[in-house]
Amino acid sequence: NAGVTQTPKFQVLKTGQSMTLQCAQDMNHNSMYWYRQDPGMGLRLIYYSASEGTTDKGEVPNGYNVSRLNKREFSLRLESAAPSQTSVYFCASSESGPTGEQYFGPGTRLTVT
Amino acid sequence: KQEVTQIPAALSVPEGENLVLNCSFTDSAIYNLQWFRQDPGKGLTSLLLIQSSQREQTSGRLNASLDKSSGRSTLYIAASQPGDSATYLCALSTSGTYKYIFGTGTRLKVLA
């Protein structure tokens, strides 16, 4: 039982490049989330998917897009990376949205130069 | 707008001490409150989840309490150990939304 997995673990991009961060969970959870963590800012919600087939914006969605590919997978795409998107990105899932316990992946450390 | 505050930002204690970490919030209409531990360079590990109808949860040396009327949760760590050194984060979900709001955490160092 792997829980929540994320790929890649590390990535360096140049300004303007694009990339997709992958997230998968094997707990049959309905809800999935993408956060970014920055020093002094805590974790901030980028996008979430309450259930398969739905996605909604969080607190800081600008510059990102998401896809809930199926119940297991939720990807985050940066279309044109900017230095301000340098951060650690975490994916999380919960069985029943805001009433359930959240489980986090190990994170992706992204640097945009 | 829900705001979550954790004070102090950092704390150092000698091994064996009992300690309390604080989490304050401004809107009492919450679904649940969750405490996490984060080690440097790692993801978040769930410690305890308190549903809005509960007052406290316990796991081993950890006890978390919730007082919605005062907008406060505490995480009590008994007989602290150097292995407890980490950043502790609280997060809560507000009724009517799917969003979790995180505090900025308390960085705990337990000295041997």
Side-chain angles (χ1 to χ4, degrees), chain B residues 17-71:
Chain B
E17 191 163 300
N18 301 327
L19 59 101
V20 174
L21 305 180
N22 296 299
C23 173
S24 300
F25 49 93
T26 55
D27 185 348
S28 63
I30 65 172
Y31 275 132
N32 65 45
L33 188 145
Q34 197 169 354
W35 281 94
F36 293 90
R37 169 189 173 131
Q38 186 176 28
D39 293 289
K42 304 292 186 184
L44 279 69
T45 300
S46 178
L47 298 174
L48 289 164
L49 171 72
I50 310 178
Q51 302 284 359
S52 64
S53 59
Q54 298 173 321
R55 297 281 296 184
E56 65 177 333
Q57 283 285 340
T58 298
S59 176
R61 293 183 294 110
L62 305 180
N63 176 277
S65 67
L66 175 64
D67 184 347
K68 290 195 297 179
S69 62
S70 66

Side-chain angles (χ1 to χ4, degrees), chain B residues 6-11 104-108:
Chain B
Q6 291 185 253
I7 295 173
L11 181 64
T104 52
T106 294
R107 190 170 64 253
L108 173 66

Side-chain angles (χ1 to χ4, degrees), chain B residues 15 28 39 45 54 63 67 75 86 92-93 97-98 101-102 105 108:
Chain B
E15 182 177 6
S28 63
D39 293 289
T45 300
Q54 298 173 321
N63 176 277
D67 184 347
L75 179 67
L92 54 87
S93 59
T97 79
Y98 270 77
I101 307 296
F102 279 79
L108 173 66

Side-chain angles (χ1 to χ4, degrees), chain A residues 5-12 19-23 34 89 106-110:
Chain A
T5 57
Q6 292 183 236
T7 56
K9 286 187 168 51
F10 301 94
Q11 185 71 49
V12 179
M19 78 162 295
T20 300
L21 281 66
Q22 306 286 354
C23 173
W34 276 106
Y89 292 84
T108 295
R109 190 172 297 273
L110 175 67

Side-chain angles (χ1 to χ4, degrees), chain A residues 31 33 35 37 40-43 45 48 50 57 90 97-102 104-106 109, chain B residues 1 31-32 34 36 38 41-44 46 49 51 89 91 93 97-100 102-104:
Chain A
S31 303
Y33 306 81
Y35 294 91
Q37 185 176 36
M41 302 288 290
L43 276 87
L45 182 64
Y48 66 98
K57 296 178 181 179
F90 289 102
T99 61
E101 188 170 2
Q102 284 190 98
F104 276 76
R109 190 172 297 273
Chain B
K1 179 186 173 187
Y31 275 132
N32 65 45
Q34 197 169 354
F36 293 90
Q38 186 176 28
K42 304 292 186 184
L44 279 69
S46 178
L49 171 72
Q51 302 284 359
L89 297 145
S93 59
T97 79
Y98 270 77
K99 302 178 184 179
Y100 287 84
F102 279 79
T104 52

